[in-house]
Amino acid sequence: MKPMNKALYTSLATAALMLTSCESMDMTPLSQGNSESWYSTEVELEMAVNEFYILGYWNQPLEGSEQWTDNFTYRQQNRNPGSNGTVLDGTMNGQQYEVYRLWEQDYKLIARANTLLANYHKAAGNVNPNKLNRYAGEAFFCRACKYAELICYYGDVPYMDGTETIEEACEKGRRNKDEIKALVYEDFDKAIEYLPVDYGTAAMHATKGAALAMKARFALYLGDFDLAAKAAKDCMDLGVYSLEPDFAKLFLQDTGVNPEKIFYIPRSLENDVVLDQWFVNNGLPRNAGGYGSDNPSWDLFASFLCTDGLPIDESDLFDPRNPFANRDPRCSKTIVEFGTEHCGFEYNPRPDVKEVMNFTTGKMQSNADNRAVNQYASYNGLIWKKGIDISWTQNGKKVARDYLMMRYADVLLMYAEAKIELNELDKSVTDAINSVRARAYGVNLTDTGLYPAVPLGTQEEMRKAVRIERRMELANEGLRYMDLIRWKLAAKALNGYNYINLPPTELLNNIVKKDLWFWGMTPQIDEDGLADFSALYNAGLVSLGAKRVFPDRQYLWPIPTRDMILCPNLKNNPGY
């Protein structure tokens, strides 16, 4: 995907301001022209299509969805265990931000797609037919993605494919999700037919590859494994995508166009389209001027395999006192390794390490990432490294990291998973998984002696392998939540506690001075790849952090309260 130019950003910013007057599910886009002649020229169509890529349509609130999973813990939650402040309170309702915001933004984009599809024919004769088809393809793509997202989160939802009023939409009530699913696949197929493989030097929007990949994702979510396998394979067969050799590089803000990126919305320092400052500060370590508040969970840390391909409780290579050693390389590229440089400073949360190196000044300084020095440092000793580097401290902490929604590694793993669920086990399945794993080790697929290649096994063995691979590869990319939902593992994985370090004095006396840092013993890993820290807790080696609560009703979200008040036909999901 090519970076957007300044004119396009200006257009999107203007459209974003106009959007503030749109109410939830209002099917009449107020930001577009309403004259009979609108949509009759290429300029007007281009402006209308540009609006599809306003960042808010795609990243609110799902860019932060990792916090709803067992991959994540937040300092504020751990200061007040039992008050998670997120989806994992077990108290979801139709007035919660995540619930109404996702619904609202999805329907806004659907409205714009519907409006274009109802009017783009006006430009026939004025615009090249292939370009007309491309504009329609983008609208079909956006509508398909958003309806698919809605039925995955809410189940049955209202369905509109025209420029209807809110009153007309309300009278219809919620349409069966299986009926909508069929229409979603039809839209994806039209997008696949109409969209180009690439846009050359033009500012790029959705492509044929993006449509194929997104169809594969949602087909996988919805259990249509045959469609998922075919769409993923067709995307692979386009021959335009490949894995970036450097796993860590892919997520940095200075990595723009890349053959692994399939669909993303670019941000721009020049146009001040940047990450929210709260997000940046929570991600930066305290030594570098951040809060260090958003943290990888111990559950995630324990899930990375050892270099022999075994989980930590089965491998002779794992040492709980040196937990980064002999681990899959993605472990230390996702989570900052103790004693290494990060964002210009040595990172070391050991309570007896009161000073660390400032690599910018070349001098030692007080260690603000140690809770013995700063009580608000990471409660579990971990901070994110993936996508975060010293550039986050520059330009006034303005960060223009792209919002990456689909990349080639995900397509490979989706293909493998779909084939596994179909029980069509062959070399193409292991090649897909091992291509991703080999890249993590910096070697080629065929260099099987240099990385722990996954062998072809039974369906159950292969299912476990691809799920572990997804967790290691895709951590902190906003995909873990829906993985747990579709695997029906959410209730198991998300009911319980985050585990954290003992308070600083106890940590020093009972762990560090007894040579038990970092973990006093190896956590156990169950058949689903989930970590069990109960033995460490019972031995007094760790503390309880925030409690996670996930009742079964939350496999589907509630319908937003405001819309149920406006639309009495919108009955809520069970349990709410």
Side-chain angles (χ1 to χ4, degrees):
M1 185 169 186
K2 307 296 189 296
M4 293 184 182
N5 57 38
K6 188 168 185 176
L8 177 54
Y9 269 112
T10 302
S11 172
L12 297 187
T14 301
L17 290 174
M18 294 176 177
L19 281 174
T20 59
S21 63
C22 297
E23 292 299 323
S24 174
M25 280 185 58
D26 189 341
M27 297 297 105
T28 305
L30 300 182
S31 63
Q32 297 188 1
N34 54 17
S35 71
E36 290 298 318
S37 62
W38 189 255
Y39 299 104
S40 61
T41 70
E42 185 171 332
V43 171
E44 291 166 352
L45 287 173
E46 192 72 41
M47 288 176 64
V49 169
N50 285 349
E51 284 195 13
F52 295 167
Y53 302 96
I54 294 171
L55 192 61
Y57 288 145
W58 298 94
N59 77 331
Q60 292 181 349
L62 295 185
E63 191 169 19
S65 65
E66 201 83 4
Q67 66 184 298
W68 313 331
T69 78
D70 56 345
N71 279 355
F72 187 96
T73 185
Y74 177 52
R75 186 195 68 229
Q76 190 65 31
Q77 298 160 10
N78 291 320
R79 290 176 65 193
N80 302 285
S83 179
N84 233 329
T86 71
V87 170
L88 298 184
D89 275 335
T91 58
M92 282 192 84
N93 60 71
Q95 299 179 62
Q96 192 162 318
Y97 170 80
E98 293 88 354
V99 171
Y100 71 76
R101 190 60 169 166
L102 181 64
W103 176 280
E104 178 183 70
Q105 291 303 94
D106 281 359
Y107 274 112
K108 282 182 178 179
L109 183 46
I110 287 168
R112 277 146 182 77
N114 284 343
T115 302
L116 185 137
L117 290 170
N119 290 281
Y120 81 103
H121 65 278
K122 294 177 182 177
N126 298 329
V127 179
N128 181 288
N130 289 333
K131 186 158 281 189
L132 270 182
N133 283 341
R134 187 207 105 186
Y135 294 139
E138 292 185 78
F140 284 125
F141 170 80
C142 293
R143 188 168 74 181
C145 286
K146 294 295 135 178
Y147 271 126
E149 194 167 80
L150 284 166
I151 63 176
C152 285
Y153 278 87
Y154 302 95
D156 301 343
V157 296
Y159 183 87
M160 289 72 66
D161 58 3
T163 53
E164 302 163 80
T165 67
I166 192 168
E167 290 80 11
E168 291 168 334
C170 288
E171 288 195 13
K172 291 184 176 181
R174 298 170 65 184
R175 187 166 179 177
N176 184 281
K177 72 174 185 178
D178 289 333
E179 296 177 9
I180 298 176
K181 179 174 70 171
L183 297 171
V184 164
Y185 293 147
E186 287 181 14
D187 279 355
F188 272 128
D189 289 341
K190 290 174 184 173
I192 292 163
E193 178 184 356
Y194 292 155
L195 291 174
V197 173
D198 63 62
Y199 288 78
T201 58
M204 179 176 166
H205 296 178
T207 61
K208 190 182 299 291
L212 285 165
M214 284 296 192
K215 181 181 179 182
R217 172 176 291 172
F218 288 114
L220 202 61
Y221 286 0
L222 296 167
D224 295 315
F225 302 118
D226 54 341
L227 294 181
K230 184 180 187 309
K233 185 63 163 62
D234 288 346
C235 182
M236 294 156 61
D237 288 345
L238 290 175
V240 297
Y241 305 112
S242 60
L243 295 174
E244 158 61 44
D246 183 350
F247 174 80
K249 173 186 174 183
L250 184 62
F251 310 100
L252 300 177
Q253 67 168 325
D254 62 356
T255 301
V257 178
N258 189 284
E260 187 164 345
K261 295 183 178 182
I262 296 177
F263 183 55
Y264 66 98
I265 306 295
R267 290 184 171 94
S268 166
L269 288 174
E270 179 186 1
N271 296 285
D272 204 30
V273 180
V274 295
L275 282 172
D276 182 84
Q277 275 294 296
W278 181 252
F279 188 96
V280 173
N281 281 326
N282 280 333
L284 280 172
R286 301 193 74 85
N287 282 324
Y291 307 149
S293 298
D294 289 349
N295 309 126
S297 67
W298 281 3
D299 305 73
L300 173 63
F301 189 27
S303 73
F304 286 91
L305 302 177
C306 292
T307 53
D308 56 8
L310 295 175
I312 59 174
D313 62 338
E314 297 179 22
S315 175
D316 292 335
L317 299 177
F318 182 69
D319 180 358
R321 291 163 181 78
N322 189 10
F324 284 95
N326 303 313
R327 304 293 293 281
D328 183 291
R330 287 166 292 192
C331 183
S332 60
K333 293 180 180 180
T334 301
I335 302 170
V336 179
E337 183 175 357
F338 307 149
T340 64
E341 185 275 333
H342 179 60
C343 294
F345 299 84
E346 176 191 354
Y347 181 75
N348 199 327
R350 277 180 63 119
D352 57 343
V353 178
K354 302 294 183 65
E355 290 189 331
V356 291
M357 173 62 69
N358 180 330
F359 289 96
T360 302
T361 65
K363 298 178 180 179
M364 300 295 287
Q365 69 167 52
S366 180
N367 182 10
D369 287 307
N370 181 336
R371 286 192 65 207
V373 174
N374 190 312
Q375 64 176 318
Y376 298 123
S378 170
Y379 276 44
N380 70 356
L382 306 180
I383 58 172
W384 292 106
K385 183 172 185 178
K386 192 175 188 178
I388 301 174
D389 65 358
I390 198 170
S391 69
W392 282 42
T393 67
Q394 301 163 354
N395 301 304
K397 294 186 189 175
K398 290 185 176 181
V399 177
R401 186 176 70 180
D402 298 330
Y403 180 42
L404 179 56
M405 285 171 281
M406 181 64 70
R407 60 186 180 93
Y408 189 56
D410 194 2
V411 172
L412 291 170
L413 295 178
M414 289 191 295
Y415 169 76
E417 183 178 344
K419 293 282 283 183
I420 290 165
E421 294 303 324
L422 293 167
N423 208 17
E424 296 176 358
L425 306 178
D426 56 28
K427 185 174 180 293
S428 72
V429 173
T430 53
D431 280 356
I433 299 172
N434 286 328
S435 293
V436 174
R437 183 170 294 187
R439 184 271 296 274
Y441 282 79
V443 299
N444 295 320
L445 170 67
T446 55
D447 297 330
T448 52
L450 300 178
Y451 72 99
V454 175
L456 191 63
T458 66
Q459 184 183 39
E460 187 56 38
E461 290 169 341
M462 297 305 295
R463 180 181 289 133
K464 182 176 181 180
V466 76
R467 290 180 179 185
I468 290 173
E469 199 68 24
R470 283 189 67 83
R471 193 173 193 186
M472 294 191 296
E473 176 70 19
L474 302 170
N476 209 24
E477 295 184 45
L479 297 172
R480 176 69 174 171
Y481 179 79
M482 283 308 298
D483 282 354
L484 291 173
I485 293 294
R486 65 196 175 83
W487 295 336
K488 294 296 184 284
L489 284 177
K492 179 180 180 181
L494 302 180
N495 279 302
Y497 289 87
N498 278 308
Y499 288 88
I500 58 176
N501 282 318
L502 297 171
T505 300
E506 293 178 47
L507 185 64
L508 181 63
N509 293 330
N510 299 341
I511 302 297
V512 175
K513 289 184 177 180
K514 294 181 180 179
D515 195 27
L516 296 176
W517 173 269
F518 177 67
W519 283 328
M521 65 178 72
T522 300
Q524 296 301 293
I525 309 297
D526 73 9
E527 67 278 2
D528 292 309
L530 305 178
D532 181 0
F533 290 91
S534 60
L536 284 82
Y537 177 71
N538 292 335
L541 300 174
V542 300
S543 295
L544 292 181
K547 185 177 183 180
R548 300 189 297 251
V549 180
F550 187 91
D552 282 343
R553 69 172 182 270
Q554 286 187 193
Y555 277 100
L556 286 179
W557 283 11
I559 303 301
T561 302
R562 178 174 60 180
D563 288 277
M564 287 195 296
I565 293 172
L566 290 171
C567 312
N569 287 341
L570 294 180
K571 305 302 180 184
N572 215 341
N573 281 321
Y576 293 104

